[in-house]
Amino acid sequence: MPYTPEIVPTLTNVSEGGAGSKAGLQIGDTLVAIEGKSIEQWSDVVTAIQNSPNAPLNMTVERAGQNLDIRLVPESRDVGQGNVQGFAGIAPQVSEWPDNYRFELQFGVIESIGKAFDKTVQVVGLTASMLKKLVVGDVGLNNLSGPISIAKGAGATADYGLVYFLGFLALISVNLGIINLVPLPMLDGGHLLFYAIEAVIRRPVPEKVQEIGFRIGGVIIFSLMAIAIFNDFTRL
């Protein structure tokens, strides 16, 4: 069995506005039982919450040496393929990794170029896959994020160190590059589409057609921006 650090059912994070916060859970609470069954490991909590979207769960927690009964109603989220899971916005305490499991990974200048290229290809594939899922409906529009979420993500990664922060900036840059190549008028991908059509028909695309395309593209882009910003505000 691969080694994993011990996970203690003591809460170290309770998302503000999440199901756990609404139920009255607090940082430092230790989960003792769910529906009268003692919690042996954190996976028991995860399974119970995921299997109970929008359904109440009776929990017993220890707080300041006293046991309290709390009624938690996990929120629901679509995980694709028509499946729905519950989530509560809580996180447990995870023990530190032993020193003998820690190591420092470094690459030389030449080797790092190849590693960076491989990582970029992975991010491009992931971005393309998410765009496809967004179009076919496997991923809901409520997963879109705007500038506020990006700023929060940048701040969170900066807390972990410079390497994580630079990795986040690279991720955003690659994502913006891929999205900019989507064949929508007003984006570079739209211009490339018009150039490709011009190469096939041997004449420029009529200005009226281009104008209609720009209007349609503008409506789609600004609508997505509005949804992303709205989602940002709902997560505050």
Side-chain angles (χ1 to χ4, degrees):
M1 293 291 292
Y3 175 82
T4 56
E6 182 184 3
I7 301 177
V8 181
T10 298
L11 303 183
T12 58
N13 181 61
V14 179
S15 299
E16 185 177 351
S21 176
K22 294 177 182 177
L25 292 174
Q26 299 177 7
I27 294 176
D29 287 349
T30 299
L31 306 185
V32 177
I34 297 181
E35 296 295 337
K37 297 180 179 179
S38 298
I39 296 173
E40 302 294 337
Q41 51 191 359
W42 181 251
S43 60
D44 297 337
V45 180
V46 174
T47 301
I49 292 176
Q50 289 184 345
N51 292 338
S52 305
N54 300 318
L57 288 173
N58 296 313
M59 308 181 69
T60 302
V61 303
E62 180 183 342
R63 180 185 301 168
Q66 295 182 345
N67 286 347
L68 303 174
D69 293 327
I70 287 180
R71 187 172 182 268
L72 172 70
V73 181
E75 299 176 358
S76 63
R77 60 183 169 191
D78 187 359
V79 293
Q81 306 295 329
N83 297 320
V84 177
Q85 283 186 349
F87 72 101
I90 57 177
Q93 175 183 329
V94 181
S95 302
E96 292 288 337
W97 284 81
D99 289 337
N100 58 322
Y101 281 88
R102 299 173 180 268
F103 64 94
E104 188 173 331
L105 183 63
Q106 290 184 336
F107 301 104
V109 175
I110 302 301
E111 188 180 6
S112 64
I113 295 175
K115 295 293 183 180
F117 178 79
D118 292 339
K119 186 65 175 180
T120 302
V121 171
Q122 294 176 16
V123 174
V124 169
L126 177 62
T127 304
S129 174
M130 291 302 295
L131 286 175
K132 178 183 176 182
K133 291 181 178 179
L134 185 65
V135 171
V136 301
D138 287 342
V139 174
L141 292 176
N142 59 335
N143 289 285
L144 290 177
S145 298
I148 297 177
S149 294
I150 293 175
K152 290 175 65 177
T157 53
D159 291 339
Y160 286 103
L162 180 61
V163 173
Y164 294 96
F165 178 67
L166 294 178
F168 179 79
L169 294 183
L171 174 66
I172 295 298
S173 297
V174 173
N175 274 267
L176 290 176
I178 297 300
I179 293 174
N180 193 42
L181 292 177
V182 173
L184 277 177
M186 294 189 66
L187 299 179
D188 288 345
H191 292 292
L192 293 175
L193 176 62
F194 285 141
Y195 292 148
I197 295 174
E198 181 178 342
V200 173
I201 65 177
R202 302 295 183 178
R203 65 178 184 275
V205 177
E207 292 186 3
K208 186 174 182 179
V209 174
Q210 293 189 41
E211 181 180 353
I212 294 174
F214 285 129
R215 290 182 179 180
I216 295 174
V219 169
I220 294 175
I221 292 171
F222 288 118
S223 297
L224 292 175
M225 289 176 58
I227 293 173
I229 295 175
F230 174 80
N231 289 339
D232 282 351
F233 280 110
T234 58
R235 299 188 187 110
L236 291 177

